[in-house]
């Protein structure tokens, strides 16, 4: 059952199908918790936030019935991120804080990573760096390649937000070396997207656009939406003086996100990008 969780970002649609199949067979509490969590992650990142929250709350309840504090902590972290993305910031941070308290060792480090991610979403970069710096050594010591690569990618992204481009590029390079030995295809696409962002911050707009296009092709093969990529491409297009193209990119992404019932945080960023593009155009 634990293999289902990493499958979400290796083969997203296959993970969803397998999780739904598990729930049809009246699974034991621990397995039910994992299956609902997988569906919740898929819906949170690629689908309907209302369905995501419904499944993640069920995953939390089943974890409590299973009597596993680490399982409960892991689900609370996933739920916390979903709540933040749905605009329920206080509830989300509360769930993440409870996850940190409930988790131990390796699990606690993964919860810290997700709280760091939430801080980054909210623009609290110093808090994000503090949590991710606490997580990385534990994840490395546990030999967790996937979560170490995710943590390094996040740390690099936060460094970029703070203007530390060289530190960011070093972390992106280390993360990409780790991704190369995994089958996490969605994360690999995200790594290419992150390199595009780093190229843009370094002033290389053509390289940034090329890398974002490559990332989009990778996402398309997985059948997953690319809202964060659209936000970043809008920024690069406007820097290149292509405001009309940026506005069209933002409007298309907003329509797709609305049709899915996706993350309100991403919609806010897309609306801001559209407004800036419209003003510049």
């Amino acid at each position: 059952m634990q293999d289902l969780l990493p499958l979400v970002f290796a083969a997203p649609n296959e993970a969803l199908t397998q999780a739904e199949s598990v729930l049809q067979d009246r699974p034991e509490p621990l397995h039910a918790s994992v299956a609902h969590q997988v569906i919740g992650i898929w819906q949170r990142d690629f689908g309907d936030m209302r369905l995501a929250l419904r499944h993640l709350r069920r995953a939390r309840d089943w974890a409590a019935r299973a009597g596993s504090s680490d399982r409960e902590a892991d689900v609370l972290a996933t739920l916390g991120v979903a709540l933040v993305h749905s605009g329920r910031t206080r509830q989300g941070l509360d769930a993440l804080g409870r996850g940190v308290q409930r988790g131990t060792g390796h699990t606690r480090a993964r919860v810290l990573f997700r709280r760091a991610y939430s801080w980054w979403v909210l623009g609290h970069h110093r808090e994000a760096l503090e949590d991710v710096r606490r997580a990385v050594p534990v994840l490395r010591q546990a030999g967790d390649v996937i979560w170490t690569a995710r943590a390094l990618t996040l740390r690099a992204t936060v460094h970029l937000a703070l203007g530390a481009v060289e530190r960011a590029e070093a972390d992106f390079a280390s993360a990409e070396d780790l991704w190369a030995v995994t089958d996490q295809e969605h994360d690999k696409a995200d790594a290419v997207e992150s390199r595009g962002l780093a190229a843009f911050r370094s002033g290389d707009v053509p390289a940034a656009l090329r890398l974002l296009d490559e990332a989009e092709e990778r996402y398309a093969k997985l059948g997953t939406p690319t809202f964060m990529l659209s936000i970043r491409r809008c920024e690069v297009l406007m820097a290149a003086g292509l405001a009309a193209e940026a506005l069209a990119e933002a409007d298309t992404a907003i329509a797709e996100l609305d049709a899915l019932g996706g993350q309100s945080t991403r919609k806010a960023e897309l609306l801001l990008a559209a407004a800036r593009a419209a003003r510049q155009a």
Side-chain angles (χ1 to χ4, degrees):
M1 284 300 301
Q2 291 299 327
D3 291 341
L4 264 184
L5 286 167
L7 191 63
V8 177
F9 295 105
N13 295 327
E14 182 182 343
L16 178 64
T17 299
Q18 288 191 28
E20 290 171 341
S21 176
V22 168
L23 293 177
Q24 292 175 0
D25 295 331
R26 296 182 179 275
E28 61 182 81
L30 196 65
H31 292 179
S33 174
V34 173
H36 278 295
Q37 186 181 7
V38 167
I39 297 171
I41 293 171
W42 193 97
Q43 292 291 350
R44 182 195 68 192
D45 287 8
F46 312 129
D48 188 326
M49 282 299 301
R50 291 169 299 177
L51 288 176
L53 291 172
R54 188 183 308 165
H55 280 283
L56 291 174
R57 288 186 175 114
R58 289 178 182 172
R60 176 198 58 195
D61 294 344
W62 281 114
R65 292 188 196 183
S68 169
S69 59
D70 276 348
R71 174 98 286 273
E72 192 174 355
D74 197 71
V75 175
L76 281 168
T78 307
L79 175 61
V81 172
L83 286 165
V84 168
H85 271 309
S86 68
R88 303 177 195 185
T89 304
R90 186 174 298 174
Q91 293 178 40
L93 291 176
D94 179 64
L96 286 157
R98 285 185 284 127
V100 171
Q101 293 173 354
R102 295 282 288 164
T104 59
H106 181 204
T107 298
R108 187 168 183 267
R110 292 188 303 192
V111 177
L112 282 169
F113 159 78
R114 283 174 283 193
R115 189 169 71 175
Y117 169 82
S118 297
W119 285 128
W120 169 72
V121 169
L122 297 169
H124 294 272
H125 299 126
R126 297 298 177 185
E127 292 87 342
L129 267 186
E130 181 181 345
D131 273 349
V132 79
R133 281 172 173 164
R134 292 166 62 192
V136 167
V138 181
L139 295 170
R140 276 181 167 153
Q141 187 175 12
D144 190 335
V145 173
I146 291 173
W147 285 89
T148 300
R150 286 174 180 163
L152 290 172
T153 299
L154 175 62
R155 191 170 71 182
T157 304
V158 177
H159 280 317
L160 275 184
L162 294 172
V165 177
E166 290 184 2
R167 288 185 178 182
E169 289 176 338
D171 273 345
F172 280 139
S174 296
E176 199 155 12
D177 288 343
L178 293 175
W179 289 131
V181 299
T182 75
D183 60 356
Q184 298 297 110
E185 297 305 322
H186 191 276
D187 285 303
K188 289 178 182 179
D190 181 70
V192 175
E193 179 184 335
S194 296
R195 282 170 48 214
L197 180 62
F200 173 60
R201 292 284 187 265
S202 298
D204 193 341
V205 171
L209 289 172
R210 176 179 55 77
L211 287 165
L212 292 177
D213 285 346
E214 180 184 340
E216 186 175 35
E217 291 175 5
R218 289 171 177 254
Y219 289 130
K221 291 177 181 178
L222 296 171
T224 56
T226 57
F227 300 118
M228 196 66 222
L229 184 145
S230 292
I231 293 163
R232 288 168 170 168
R233 181 182 277 133
C234 285
E235 187 178 3
V236 179
L237 287 170
M238 283 190 286
L242 301 172
E245 288 83 348
L247 180 57
E249 174 90 18
D251 282 345
T252 299
I254 290 167
E256 184 180 352
L257 189 145
D258 281 343
L260 291 172
Q263 300 172 357
S264 61
T265 50
R266 296 293 182 243
K267 182 172 180 179
E269 291 187 72
L270 284 165
L271 286 169
L272 182 58
R276 286 172 172 163
R279 184 177 61 183
Q280 187 172 317

